[in-house]
Amino acid sequence: MPEVSTHKAARGLSEETVREISATKNEPEWMRNFRLKSYEIFRKKPLPSWGPDLSEIQFDDITYYLKATKDRSASWDELPSEIKETYDRIGVPEAEKRSLAGVSAQYESEVVYESIDRELRRQGVLFCDMDTAVRDYPDLVKRYFGTLIPPHDNTFASLNSAVWSGGSFVYVPRGVQVELPLQAYFRINSERFGQFERTLIIADEGSSVHYTEGCTAPIYSTDSLHAAVVEVFVAKGARVRYTTVQNWSNNIYNLVTKRARAEEDAVMEWVDCNIGSKVTMKYPSVYLTGKRAHGDMLSIAFAGKGQTQDAGAKMFHLAPHTTSRILSKSLSKDGGHASYRGLVHIGEQAKSARSSVTCDAMMFDSDSRSDTYPAIRIHRGDANVEHEASVEKIGEEKLFLLASRGLAREDAEALLVSGFIEPVSKEIPLEYSIELTRLIRYEMEKKIG
Amino acid sequence: MNRSLPLEFFFEKAEAGADIFALFLASGSESFSTKIHQIHRAPDTVSRLSVLSILGGSASFSYEGRIRIDKGAIRSNASQENRNVLLSNSARAQSNPTLEILEDDVVARHASATGGQNEEARFFLASRGLADSLAKRALAEGRIREFFGNIRSIAESESLDELETESMRLLETIFSENQ
């Protein structure tokens, strides 16, 4: 088996690179062919003609090989001081800091993982990294992989389809309720926070599962392009919640395609927090293909200095009595640019569909920018679709009220921001939300240079 | 038939303001689209847009709105409201209200609601003995009256009466076609 070393890796993408990735992973032929076909598609695809400026991405400069080790920064000293400071401010424990920085191997006891693993196996739940799933559960994977997001869907989906590595595979059998939220963090012996992760989640009839990924602590990566693909299948009567907290360092282009299909009586919930990265383009969507299916999206976006958060949601109503709800909260500060880009589509088969969208934006100064681009397409007369959006600055009157009660300005602002994002933040698991509150507070206190 | 009506409003001087109203009534296979832009370039400017469409038959309507508040246009207040009433199953509507805000000390909002009429209201009227078709008609007329009432609360004009009458006549067409 050829040894892969980041120093020896060729830069740039070629058919040979794609073949080598597949060979290194020892993949079956069908996956290798899938990658090669996707690469051909990627070569012909242009960059999107809308949205943030992506012209600075150097595709030829990217290292597409697998990393043999997880080290993203060779030593603790190399880590940008900004990141170390943030770890301190949000209270990341000492051992965890080094693990996040990629300096040392994971620190948790293996015993913890083994007991979780045992419990899942007892229920018949499959949870492993995507590479393993391709090898161990080929029939299951083949049935779903690339069917919701085919390689030709968009440029970054085709790139991911060619060079994907890592990501999670989850299969929940019929009627099984997985009580413990599954975290990407639990996957041992696989790359964490990979550059081109590919995740596939299948919830069989009547099952339920909550999957979480990401980290409030900033993740530093020297790779400047991250293009993940996530496909979620929610069968009849099943329920899936997918929570992401993204805080990539400010040099990263984070261009993600996430899509779910919800069948009859199914519920799909996206909870999405975008705090980091230089540019994020992410529009999780739900295809409501069965009667009475429901799609839900709760999102928070924070755009600070030099950041562009271009995020939103898409809901496709393709069956009768389907419903959807989108709640988006964004904050922009110090020249940050936050945009909501969304779509609600009511198809001809979607009798009596209902949808409601609320986008609220808060701006902290006049250097920042906030945009809202919702699209509403209705192809039936009995649909009920509501949308409202507002953009405001932090309320001076409210600040004055709090000041008159003795709160310092920073505390008052933090309180108002907390209240602003509360409808979304209360849905995030406790461990994340405590850090999230501290993180946002810290971001707000930062002064420009 | 396809009629487009692009309108741009530039607020260049401090304290300039406008209330903008647009009403579309369509039946048969009529198709309307409108683009209305509210561009704020000076402080303390105000704009309020209200777009109402009432669609029957297999008519379609597309609304594209843009509020842009440039840097420097502090304390501006802009809003867009789009309501599309669909009176038949083959009516179609598209609504794309957008906001581009580059100044923080402002208020900008938009709202869009599309659908058949309020079911509770129809039930209420049915409980008072109104046949559904009459109830729908009464509610649609109410929307039109409300629309013109809002205009009148800002400025009176003789032509308003004429326009309101004409609107009711167009509504009549929509309903007679639906029979």
Side-chain angles (χ1 to χ4, degrees):
Chain A
M1 179 138 105
E3 182 150 7
V4 180
S5 149
T6 47
H7 300 292
K8 282 199 214 144
R11 292 197 160 253
L13 186 58
S14 66
E15 191 185 303
E16 207 189 285
T17 321
V18 177
R19 278 185 195 282
E20 288 208 51
I21 292 174
S22 193
T24 317
K25 291 169 183 290
N26 250 330
E27 283 177 342
E29 197 176 323
W30 66 269
M31 182 50 78
R32 185 170 67 248
N33 291 340
F34 179 84
R35 286 183 187 273
L36 289 169
K37 220 177 50 176
S38 304
Y39 172 66
E40 283 308 307
I41 295 172
F42 172 67
R43 283 184 54 202
K44 302 191 189 109
K45 283 245 182 222
L47 286 179
S49 57
W50 50 272
D53 177 17
L54 301 176
S55 57
E56 280 177 25
I57 299 179
Q58 307 278 13
F59 288 98
D60 288 331
D61 210 34
I62 293 168
T63 312
Y64 291 92
Y65 266 53
L66 282 182
K67 307 288 183 291
T69 63
K70 283 49 160 188
D71 291 353
R72 266 161 284 106
S73 70
S75 77
W76 177 252
D77 300 312
E78 262 178 39
L79 200 65
S81 59
E82 214 177 66
I83 300 222
K84 291 191 219 176
E85 265 163 47
T86 311
Y87 286 168
D88 283 329
R89 278 302 303 259
I90 65 176
V92 176
E94 201 57 46
E96 190 170 354
K97 280 183 203 169
R98 287 175 183 267
S99 167
L100 288 169
V103 172
S104 70
Q106 67 209 54
Y107 64 95
E108 293 94 335
S109 160
E110 297 246 336
V111 174
V112 176
Y113 290 119
E114 275 166 18
S115 73
I116 290 168
D117 201 43
R118 241 180 292 133
E119 176 59 25
L120 292 176
R121 280 187 191 287
R122 193 184 61 78
Q123 294 185 292
V125 175
L126 304 176
F127 177 42
C128 59
D129 63 283
M130 200 64 221
D131 296 37
T132 303
V134 167
R135 279 195 313 270
D136 295 356
Y137 315 113
D139 295 325
L140 200 48
V141 172
K142 247 201 236 180
R143 207 183 313 158
Y144 293 96
F145 194 99
T147 57
L148 202 47
I149 300 173
H152 58 256
D153 192 272
N154 65 72
T155 313
F156 298 97
S158 60
L159 176 59
N160 176 286
S161 298
V163 299
W164 72 267
S165 177
S168 296
F169 174 77
V170 177
Y171 171 78
V172 188
R174 276 185 182 217
V176 173
Q177 321 297 322
V178 182
E179 302 293 348
L180 180 72
L182 298 181
Q183 296 192 38
Y185 213 44
F186 287 167
R187 286 186 280 111
I188 44 177
N189 300 327
S190 70
E191 201 177 344
R192 297 215 224 134
F193 311 118
Q195 203 181 355
F196 299 109
E197 287 198 1
R198 183 100 190 187
T199 290
L200 177 56
I201 297 188
I202 303 158
D204 215 328
E205 291 187 15
S207 68
S208 74
V209 67
H210 182 184
Y211 178 80
T212 62
E213 68 176 1
C215 203
T216 32
I219 304 301
Y220 181 69
S221 172
T222 46
D223 306 312
S224 57
L225 172 62
H226 286 245
V229 165
V230 175
E231 295 173 289
V232 181
F233 294 85
V234 195
K236 182 167 165 186
R239 183 188 157 135
V240 174
R241 173 177 282 209
Y242 192 111
T243 299
T244 304
V245 176
Q246 172 270 109
N247 194 4
W248 292 114
S249 49
N250 291 357
N251 56 321
I252 288 172
Y253 286 87
N254 184 39
L255 312 172
V256 182
T257 310
K258 287 180 161 164
R259 194 167 297 165
R261 188 176 79 200
E263 298 182 34
E264 194 175 317
D265 291 309
V267 174
M268 175 66 204
E269 299 170 331
W270 295 105
V271 180
D272 206 34
C273 298
N274 292 298
I275 303 169
S277 82
K278 176 171 163 150
V279 173
T280 286
M281 289 176 76
K282 195 204 283 186
Y283 320 96
S285 58
V286 186
Y287 281 58
L288 302 161
T289 58
K291 275 187 280 193
R292 296 178 299 270
H294 176 77
D296 212 87
M297 163 64 130
L298 297 171
S299 78
I300 297 176
F302 178 87
K305 183 158 189 249
Q307 292 186 292
T308 301
Q309 304 285 11
D310 200 294
K314 305 194 302 198
M315 297 290 177
F316 293 86
H317 293 248
L318 305 168
H321 303 290
T322 46
T323 52
S324 65
R325 190 261 306 241
I326 298 172
L327 176 58
S328 157
K329 297 275 183 181
S330 75
L331 301 132
S332 48
K333 177 178 186 276
D334 297 332
H337 185 173
S339 299
Y340 168 84
R341 215 176 282 270
L343 170 65
V344 172
H345 171 100
I346 312 281
E348 291 191 0
Q349 307 304 320
K351 175 166 133 83
S352 298
R354 301 182 88 90
S355 173
S356 103
V357 180
T358 307
C359 317
D360 292 327
M362 193 181 264
M363 289 175 68
F364 287 81
D365 50 58
S366 57
D367 293 316
S368 308
R369 179 167 168 164
S370 178
D371 302 329
T372 314
Y373 302 105
I376 300 161
R377 314 240 160 97
I378 298 171
H379 295 93
R380 274 197 71 99
D382 57 0
N384 251 299
V385 178
E386 284 170 3
H387 168 96
E388 53 181 286
S390 69
V391 180
E392 283 180 287
K393 76 177 269 200
I394 200 158
E396 283 300 333
E397 280 166 23
K398 294 179 191 157
L399 286 173
F400 180 76
L401 175 79
L402 294 170
S404 74
R405 297 297 191 270
L407 258 72
R409 189 165 175 114
E410 305 88 63
D411 294 323
E413 281 186 355
L415 188 65
L416 289 176
V417 169
S418 231
F420 177 71
I421 63 174
E422 193 257 359
V424 181
S425 60
K426 73 177 185 195
E427 302 293 333
I428 300 172
L430 195 63
E431 317 85 71
Y432 281 128
S433 71
I434 293 173
E435 286 187 350
L436 187 70
T437 310
R438 284 195 211 140
L439 179 70
I440 293 192
R441 172 82 191 248
Y442 177 51
E443 291 293 335
M444 282 174 52
E445 284 172 16
K446 275 190 201 163
K447 307 275 183 281
I448 319 169
Chain B
M1 273 182 288
N2 195 339
R3 302 162 213 195
S4 301
L5 197 68
L7 286 173
E8 293 193 301
F9 295 84
F10 294 90
F11 299 90
E12 310 266 1
K13 218 166 159 193
E15 295 176 30
D19 283 280
I20 309 155
F21 294 86
L23 172 62
F24 293 83
L25 293 140
S27 57
S29 54
E30 288 180 319
S31 154
F32 290 96
S33 75
T34 182
K35 290 188 190 158
I36 304 180
H37 299 171
Q38 295 150 258
I39 317 232
H40 291 250
R41 294 186 178 155
D44 299 295
T45 48
V46 180
S47 68
R48 282 180 290 254
L49 169 68
S50 173
V51 178
L52 170 65
S53 81
I54 302 185
L55 312 167
S58 47
S60 68
F61 175 67
S62 158
Y63 156 69
E64 186 201 298
R66 191 165 147 240
I67 287 180
R68 185 179 166 105
I69 304 189
D70 281 340
K71 197 155 142 72
I74 56 173
R75 293 183 304 271
S76 289
N77 190 320
S79 68
Q80 303 163 317
E81 189 198 282
N82 170 222
R83 183 180 289 277
N84 304 313
V85 180
L86 307 175
L87 292 175
S88 74
N89 272 338
S90 349
R92 300 274 176 270
Q94 277 201 49
S95 183
N96 283 23
T98 65
L99 296 177
E100 286 174 3
I101 314 297
L102 289 88
E103 178 58 68
D104 76 318
D105 191 3
V106 303
V107 174
R109 293 184 199 287
H110 64 219
S112 170
T114 301
Q117 289 149 317
N118 188 316
E119 278 174 31
E120 276 170 30
R122 278 161 66 188
F123 179 78
F124 176 78
L125 293 172
S127 73
R128 295 303 191 267
L130 252 70
D132 200 43
S133 55
L134 281 178
K136 276 169 128 168
R137 179 104 144 234
L139 290 169
E141 282 179 11
R143 286 269 174 231
I144 295 178
R145 289 200 202 290
E146 183 190 18
F147 181 83
F148 282 98
N150 290 341
I151 304 178
R152 286 196 184 92
S153 67
I154 296 164
E156 264 294 356
S157 161
E158 278 169 20
S159 50
L160 281 178
D161 289 337
E162 271 174 51
L163 285 170
E164 196 171 348
T165 313
E166 176 64 16
S167 306
M168 293 303 182
R169 197 187 63 72
L170 286 167
L171 189 66
E172 177 73 43
T173 317
I174 296 177
F175 275 100
S176 56
E177 190 190 69
N178 275 1
Q179 282 345 326

